[in-house]
Amino acid sequence: MLFFSKMICIVGAVVLLFSITADARIGNSTEPTSYCTETEECLLFDLICNGTEYEVRHYEAAKWVTTEEKSMFKDVAIMKAFKKLFNYITGENEAGVKIPMTAPVLIKVKEEMPFLEPAVYGLSFLLPSAYQDNAPKPTDSTVHLEEMTDMKVYVISYGGWMVGPVSTIYADLLKKALDNVKATYNTDYHYDAGYNSPMKLLNRHNEVWYVVSGAPVCPHVEHPSPSSPAHLSLQKPED
Ligand SMILES: *[C@@H]1O[C@H](CO)[C@@H](O)[C@H](O)[C@H]1NC(C)=O
Ligand SMILES: *[C@@H]1O[C@H](CO)[C@@H](O)[C@H](O)[C@H]1NC(C)=O
């Protein structure tokens, strides 16, 4: 068994090496329940496992356009960074082309924040499939193209607006759930993932991601309990 799983790992690694230039999984989501509704293309993933507290997903490597901004206030940094990336996709690039918006938009947030000093935040837009392998160079030197490696992430979702304090609450909730099951993850940073434009008022969807390190730990599956109204429909009728 061990031999075979080692062989599979080696074959997997070789396949990975040769597939680095293959298309990342970006496209039209066919899931009827998808929250990725505002852009033509989204980053697709494989669901490894799911529970009430968090999901575990696998994302293949993909190319993004990224910039960093520094501020005392997260929302100020993100606004400035958003303007720079928006300029890139609306023509501030060497080819002068307009590039369609995609989802999600990722914000990279360091876990250790300097006390009473400005902090650096990263913002990334996913490049659409047509630009994955030939994205034009940004003309703004503070904007750069970046490949994010293949990764597994722990995900918690929430509605409403992804303002600074709210996303921190959900990051803490996810961290607590992961620590409870002794899951290991990258503790240097997390991502806030946004799927909606500010114009969308209802059914907004946001996420917090922690990057899995080591083997992913699936969430405990909660068994339906008679006291929980959410599960009433699962109860058998009384004899
Ligand atoms: C994406 O899927 C939706 C729903 O199935 C469909 O209406 C739309 O035309 C598709 N868009 C593309 C670009 O394939
Ligand atoms: C995971 O489960 C939750 C409910 O527990 C559900 O809302 C969510 O859509 C599921 N995620 C996926 C990708 O199916």
Side-chain angles (χ1 to χ4, degrees):
M1 274 316 277
L2 193 61
F3 172 76
F4 278 111
S5 55
K6 269 191 184 156
M7 275 309 287
I8 287 165
C9 280
I10 290 166
V11 169
V14 170
V15 168
L16 199 66
L17 275 180
F18 283 100
S19 65
I20 270 175
T21 54
D23 283 345
R25 294 227 302 126
I26 296 162
N28 194 350
S29 176
T30 50
E31 306 270 325
T33 57
S34 175
Y35 32 77
C36 200
T37 51
E38 288 189 67
T39 57
E40 195 158 291
E41 290 191 326
C42 325
L43 186 61
L44 306 178
F45 61 86
D46 300 305
L47 186 65
I48 298 174
C49 47
N50 193 12
T52 47
E53 291 188 305
Y54 62 89
E55 288 173 33
V56 187
R57 299 181 185 165
H58 171 229
Y59 285 100
E60 278 168 25
K63 296 196 187 77
W64 300 69
V65 58
T66 296
T67 193
E68 286 84 27
E69 272 291 342
K70 203 174 187 181
S71 175
M72 292 284 281
F73 304 100
K74 183 182 178 186
D75 297 338
V76 171
I78 299 313
M79 215 139 54
K80 286 193 200 156
F82 197 94
K83 191 160 188 307
K84 289 199 286 180
L85 296 187
F86 188 76
N87 288 344
Y88 171 79
I89 65 167
T90 51
E92 273 188 25
N93 54 67
E94 284 187 353
V97 291
K98 287 201 162 75
I99 299 173
M101 189 72 197
T102 55
V105 168
L106 289 185
I107 301 172
K108 190 173 184 174
V109 185
K110 289 198 181 112
E111 293 287 297
E112 294 278 340
M113 283 294 164
F115 184 63
L116 295 181
E117 269 175 56
V120 176
Y121 298 90
L123 185 73
S124 302
F125 288 1
L126 174 71
L127 292 161
S129 53
Y131 289 99
Q132 275 289 304
D133 290 326
N134 56 353
K137 266 189 155 169
T139 47
D140 179 342
S141 63
T142 64
V143 174
H144 51 98
L145 301 172
E146 177 189 27
E147 166 144 2
M148 276 189 212
T149 55
D150 181 288
M151 62 182 174
K152 298 190 182 74
V153 289
Y154 293 116
V155 180
I156 192 170
S157 302
Y158 61 98
W161 267 266
M162 187 170 60
V163 285
V166 176
S167 64
T168 306
I169 291 170
Y170 283 95
D172 288 344
L173 264 179
L174 176 56
K175 228 166 19 179
K176 211 169 277 174
L178 296 176
D179 294 342
N180 276 343
V181 295
K182 300 199 163 43
T184 50
Y185 50 94
N186 191 323
T187 52
D188 294 338
Y189 62 89
H190 67 261
Y191 290 109
D192 290 333
Y195 292 81
N196 303 117
S197 74
M199 263 67 90
K200 186 169 158 72
L201 302 183
L202 299 175
N203 296 321
R204 298 177 58 85
H205 182 92
N206 317 286
E207 295 165 349
V208 174
W209 298 0
Y210 275 97
V211 179
V212 175
S213 84
V217 179
C218 286
H220 292 309
V221 175
E222 272 176 34
H223 292 290
S225 90
S227 59
S228 159
H231 297 297
L232 277 179
S233 59
L234 294 177
Q235 276 185 279
K236 285 202 185 112
E238 301 286 327
D239 283 337

